[in-house]
């Protein structure tokens, strides 16, 4: 009989937080109102384009990644989203429904044995699928707990076969200003780009997400595929991935290009390192009207702290 040992970051499942709650009460009430519209018949607007892999949900939950905290309700997380391609407010879920998620393919290139392009449904079918409950911590000092569905990024690396000279992944999202009004703003360095090291991508927590709450990923969450890196601030978990390139040089991310003094490459969660404009010591729990202490690496230090040994001179916390 397997023995499950809980780690320091684990929290009870009855505590997981949904993604759509505003940090202030006014925003929260807007979110609740929008949720009412959804229940009144707006579910069609939440649907993704039909896909042959939709019926694979729900995925089996991996109990090793269940946290000791209540899940955040879906009605909250589905109405409280950052997705700058569609706007700068948290209530962009309706605008995000313009995203076409089928057909969708991902280009894999750079320092790999053989560059390739693969359709999202072919990729999902080929990968070992599971559900994981993770904390999510935004750099804006709010947090939630959600059940992501998808597959370990390590499984993707095994398929991509990066060369030994590859040190980083450069990941980018789609570009289509016709349906994404935010991409018409020329002061932003589109496409949205994020990066991580090969070691970070191979860590067991790094997760490519294709669903949430037991269903295919809705568009406002970053359909049809996004990244989840639970020990980092949320802007590192890039949405709607279209290309993954393996490189020898460290890529510059979207926010690093815009404001490197505030948003760096590493962006690991640390309560003792404030953002230039606010403290990171506590976080607002979406939907619970309370603040809780922030944890180093968002509580996942036992998994990831070793990744950063020898890098103490790097700016690891911004």
């Amino acid at each position: 009989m397997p023995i499950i040992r809980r780690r320091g970051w684990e929290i009870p499942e009855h505590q997981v937080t949904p993604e759509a709650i505003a940090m202030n009460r006014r925003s929260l009430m807007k979110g609740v109102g929008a949720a009412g519209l959804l229940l009144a018949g707006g579910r069609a607007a939440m649907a993704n384009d039909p896909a042959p892999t939709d019926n694979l949900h729900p995925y089996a939950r991996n109990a090793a990644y269940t946290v000791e905290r209540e899940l955040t309700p879906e009605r909250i997380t589905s109405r409280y989203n950052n997705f700058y391609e569609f706007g700068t407010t948290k209530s962009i879920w309706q605008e995000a429904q313009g995203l076409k998620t089928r057909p969708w393919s991902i280009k894999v290139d750079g320092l790999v044995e053989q560059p390739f392009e693969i359709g999202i449904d072919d990729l999902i079918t080929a990968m070992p699928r599971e559900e994981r409950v993770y904390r999510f911590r935004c750099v804006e000092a709010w947090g939630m707990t959600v059940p992501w569905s998808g597959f370990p990024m390590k499984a993707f690396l095994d398929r991509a076969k990066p060369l030994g000279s590859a040190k980083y992944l450069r990941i980018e999202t789609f570009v289509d200003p016709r349906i994404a009004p935010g991409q018409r703003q020329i002061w932003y360095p589109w496409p949205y780009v994020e990066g991580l090291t090969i070691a970070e991508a191979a860590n067991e927590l790094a997760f490519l997400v294709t669903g949430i709450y037991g269903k295919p990923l809705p568009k406002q969450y970053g359909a049809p595929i996004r990244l989840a890196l639970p020990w980092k601030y949320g802007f590192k978990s890039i949405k709607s991935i279209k290309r993954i390139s393996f490189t020898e040089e460290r890529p510059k991310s979207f926010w690093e290009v815009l404001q490197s003094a505030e948003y760096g490459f590493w962006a690991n969660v640390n309560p003792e390192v404030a953002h230039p404009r606010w403290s990171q010591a506590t976080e607002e729990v979406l939907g619970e009207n309370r603040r809780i202490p922030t944890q180093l690496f968002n509580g996942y230090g036992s998994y990831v702290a070793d990744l950063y040994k020898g890098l103490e001179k790097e700016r690891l916390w911004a």
Side-chain angles (χ1 to χ4, degrees):
M1 177 177 181
I3 298 174
I4 298 176
R5 290 188 176 88
R6 294 196 180 277
R7 310 196 191 195
W9 57 268
E10 294 181 344
I11 42 184
E13 179 181 333
H14 67 275
Q15 290 180 329
V16 185
T17 308
E19 181 190 343
I21 291 190
M23 288 182 60
N24 58 57
R25 304 220 179 149
R26 199 171 287 177
S27 298
L28 174 58
M29 294 311 295
K30 285 182 181 178
V32 172
L37 291 175
L38 173 65
L39 294 174
R43 287 196 180 273
M46 297 287 294
N48 277 325
D49 306 308
T53 52
D54 285 355
N55 62 2
L56 297 175
H57 291 273
Y59 300 169
R61 179 169 293 181
N62 186 333
Y65 303 100
T66 297
V67 297
E68 295 177 357
R69 189 162 109 181
E70 285 187 1
L71 287 172
T72 303
E74 182 181 4
R75 72 179 187 276
I76 294 172
T77 65
S78 63
R79 295 295 185 277
Y80 194 74
N81 314 98
N82 284 322
F83 207 156
Y84 275 69
E85 284 81 354
F86 294 97
T88 58
T89 71
K90 294 292 187 293
S91 55
I92 48 74
W93 67 272
Q94 289 175 304
E95 289 84 350
Q97 303 315 308
L99 178 64
K100 286 292 292 180
T101 60
R102 295 298 187 283
W104 189 279
S105 62
I106 300 170
K107 185 176 182 179
V108 180
D109 61 5
L111 299 175
V112 293
E113 289 185 10
Q114 181 65 50
F116 64 93
E117 191 163 348
I118 186 168
I120 183 61
D121 295 299
D122 292 332
L123 180 62
I124 291 171
T125 302
M127 291 291 104
R129 300 175 298 277
E130 61 185 67
E131 181 181 82
R132 296 182 178 186
V133 175
Y134 278 169
R135 288 191 184 106
F136 181 96
R137 175 60 158 81
C138 183
V139 72
E140 298 165 339
W142 54 265
M144 60 183 181
T145 310
V146 291
W148 300 118
S149 301
F151 50 88
M153 195 159 196
K154 177 61 167 61
F156 171 80
L157 294 181
D158 291 343
R159 185 179 183 92
K161 295 182 173 60
L163 301 178
S165 54
K167 297 179 181 178
Y168 300 95
L169 285 74
R170 181 187 183 277
I171 308 171
E172 67 179 59
T173 189
F174 72 97
V175 177
D176 190 348
R178 295 171 302 174
I179 56 92
Q183 291 183 335
R184 299 171 201 156
Q185 311 303 323
I186 60 174
W187 50 86
Y188 287 119
W190 303 113
Y192 196 103
V193 169
E194 261 307 335
L196 63 160
T197 67
I198 291 285
E200 288 176 321
N203 183 272
E204 66 174 283
L205 290 181
F207 200 58
L208 284 165
V209 172
T210 59
I212 193 170
Y213 297 103
K215 297 170 287 189
L217 195 64
K219 296 175 181 181
Q220 66 269 34
Y221 292 103
I225 184 168
R226 64 170 291 164
L227 186 58
L229 301 169
W231 71 97
K232 293 179 177 287
Y233 291 117
F235 67 86
K236 295 291 293 186
S237 294
I238 184 171
K239 295 180 171 184
S240 301
I241 296 168
K242 285 290 287 183
R243 183 179 182 182
I244 300 177
S245 303
F246 292 82
T247 73
E248 194 169 2
E249 295 183 0
R250 190 162 91 183
K252 265 204 165 182
S253 68
F254 179 88
W255 287 108
E256 196 177 4
V257 171
L258 277 173
Q259 183 51 277
S260 61
E262 297 190 4
Y263 308 101
F265 174 81
W266 300 100
N268 296 313
V269 177
N270 189 334
E272 296 183 0
V273 179
H275 184 277
R277 289 178 282 130
W278 56 79
S279 170
Q280 297 288 17
T282 64
E283 63 190 72
E284 175 80 12
V285 181
L286 294 187
E288 298 185 20
N289 194 29
R290 67 187 178 107
R291 298 194 74 84
I292 61 173
T294 298
Q295 298 185 61
L296 184 65
F297 291 115
N298 201 25
Y300 293 95
S302 61
Y303 282 95
V304 301
D306 286 348
L307 292 172
Y308 307 103
K309 286 184 176 178
L311 296 174
E312 289 79 10
K313 293 183 179 180
E314 291 276 344
R315 192 163 157 255
L316 296 172
W317 315 110

